[in-house]
Amino acid sequence: MTLSIKPIDPVSRPFFAGEVSGIDITRPLSREEAAAIDAGMDQYGVLVFHGQRFTDETQLAFSRNFGELEQASGDLNWGKARRIESPLVNDISNLDNDNQVMARDNRRRLFSLGNRLWHSDSSFKAVPAKYSLLSARVIPSAGGNTEFADMRQAYDDLDEETKAECEDLVCEHSQLYSRAMIGFSDFTDEDRIRFKPVLQRLVRRHPSTGRKSLFLASHAGAIVGWPVPEARAFLRDLTEHATQRKYVYAHEWKQWDLVMWDNRATMHRARPFDPKEVRDMHRTTVACERSTMAEAA
């Protein structure tokens, strides 16, 4: 078999979310295979690979084909004992360090519920994420889907007046903002320093395709130079526009799926599932080469 990428929804969404077949990405890739996947990411923004039985080591090896990897420093457990050994692998699960399902009032679990809000990975870091790669190791019997929204098409469909308004805006992003939206405020002084706001452009131009997109996230809580209430109302309006169903692909997970997405072109959110069941996902993250502020310059 040879590598093939086809649209998941060829009728209504032919250029958003592709399904990849004909390749085992748990083994080393050739330069040509990695380039074909990169090209698929440029076209679709989201790629789905089925039946990829990754270990953390093989997932890390696959991810390194696409750039420098981020450390998993975005959760409350950073710098402490972790369930997953490598600091380059994000623990996107509802399990504690003893592999037991966390209680509903567990502090880490409550913090992680912010992932149910629309966001772009690591937009709260000065240099945000390029690609995210999420491997489904154990999935619940129902629910737990991940939804993706196409920020390129959402930008294209804005009226010209709104595009002009957005063009030069700079937002402040922080997990302090996104967690406040769900009522989580249990931060230590160390957390507040680590999650201090960073600046991100609201409109980005993709370095490979040249397409513009909205760089939105629940982490965005302010616009430089704007009153906070006006900024948040404006960002909410943009998010409501950008997450209309016509822009959204909902992925129903199967065990050993690997879903890869471009944070420069998409937003995503996790959906609820039975909190008594295990959902164990491991994410590696490829960092952008530079900040959005440097990109604009």
Side-chain angles (χ1 to χ4, degrees):
M1 295 181 68
T2 57
L3 186 153
S4 172
I5 305 176
K6 296 181 179 179
I8 290 174
D9 184 354
V11 177
S12 61
R13 301 299 311 283
F15 300 111
F16 183 53
E19 186 174 59
V20 186
S21 59
I23 186 171
D24 176 2
I25 57 173
T26 67
R27 61 162 179 78
L29 300 190
S30 68
R31 186 175 301 177
E32 292 74 21
E33 288 170 331
I37 292 170
D38 249 335
M41 289 293 288
D42 286 346
Q43 179 175 351
Y44 292 103
V46 178
L47 292 180
V48 176
F49 304 78
H50 296 299
Q52 305 293 330
R53 291 178 172 268
F54 276 112
T55 64
D56 286 344
E57 291 73 22
T58 54
Q59 185 174 344
L60 286 166
F62 172 68
S63 304
R64 288 190 175 102
N65 285 287
F66 308 103
E68 191 76 21
L69 301 188
E70 280 189 2
Q71 293 203 345
S73 59
D75 62 36
L76 291 181
N77 209 33
W78 181 248
K80 304 171 186 173
R82 302 178 74 240
R83 189 177 69 93
I84 294 176
E85 181 178 356
S86 174
L88 299 175
V89 179
N90 289 265
D91 185 358
I92 312 297
S93 78
N94 61 340
L95 300 172
D96 62 21
N97 288 357
D98 296 319
N99 283 312
Q100 300 300 308
V101 173
M102 288 186 278
R104 294 192 77 158
D105 62 352
N106 181 283
R107 179 171 175 263
R108 280 178 52 209
R109 177 182 180 273
L110 296 176
F111 178 84
S112 72
L113 293 179
N115 290 330
R116 295 186 186 176
L117 304 176
W118 287 107
H119 63 285
S120 176
D121 286 336
S122 297
S123 77
F124 53 85
K125 297 181 180 182
V127 177
K130 176 185 176 183
Y131 294 160
S132 294
L133 305 95
L134 189 58
S135 169
R137 310 297 175 86
V138 180
I139 59 172
S141 59
N145 296 346
T146 303
E147 296 181 342
F148 300 90
D150 188 345
M151 296 294 99
R152 306 163 301 181
Q153 192 62 50
Y155 174 84
D156 289 347
D157 290 349
L158 290 173
D159 60 77
E160 293 305 316
E161 182 179 354
T162 305
K163 286 180 181 177
E165 175 114 64
C166 293
E167 185 66 30
D168 295 321
L169 294 181
V170 174
C171 299
E172 292 183 0
H173 288 236
S174 171
Q175 292 204 95
L176 301 175
Y177 296 138
S178 57
R179 271 43 185 185
M181 292 176 68
I182 60 168
F184 183 94
S185 58
D186 185 15
F187 291 104
T188 65
D189 290 341
E190 180 184 358
D191 293 331
R192 293 183 183 279
I193 292 170
R194 187 155 57 93
F195 297 139
K196 66 181 181 181
V198 301
L199 299 180
Q200 305 287 6
R201 301 288 301 206
L202 178 56
V203 176
R204 302 179 73 175
R205 185 183 292 277
H206 197 284
S208 300
T209 68
R211 288 189 70 180
K212 287 186 175 181
S213 65
L214 292 168
F215 193 42
L216 290 168
S218 56
H219 308 312
I223 297 174
V224 174
W226 284 36
V228 169
E230 184 180 11
R232 292 188 181 177
F234 183 68
L235 292 170
R236 177 167 293 187
D237 284 347
L238 287 177
T239 299
E240 288 179 357
H241 160 75
T243 55
Q244 296 176 73
R245 301 316 299 178
K246 64 182 179 179
Y247 302 129
V248 172
Y249 161 65
H251 183 68
E252 299 181 10
W253 290 95
K254 298 180 177 67
Q255 188 178 27
W256 301 116
D257 280 353
L258 185 286
V259 178
M260 181 174 178
W261 64 90
D262 190 339
N263 290 285
R264 302 166 299 179
T266 65
M267 270 202 305
H268 64 282
R269 66 175 180 175
R271 306 313 296 140
F273 59 95
D274 185 340
K276 299 185 293 297
E277 292 193 39
V278 174
R279 184 178 187 266
D280 187 9
M281 321 287 277
H282 293 208
R283 194 190 83 212
T284 43
T285 315
V286 180
C288 285
E289 290 79 11
R290 53 185 179 166
S291 71
T292 62
M293 304 301 290
E295 286 174 357

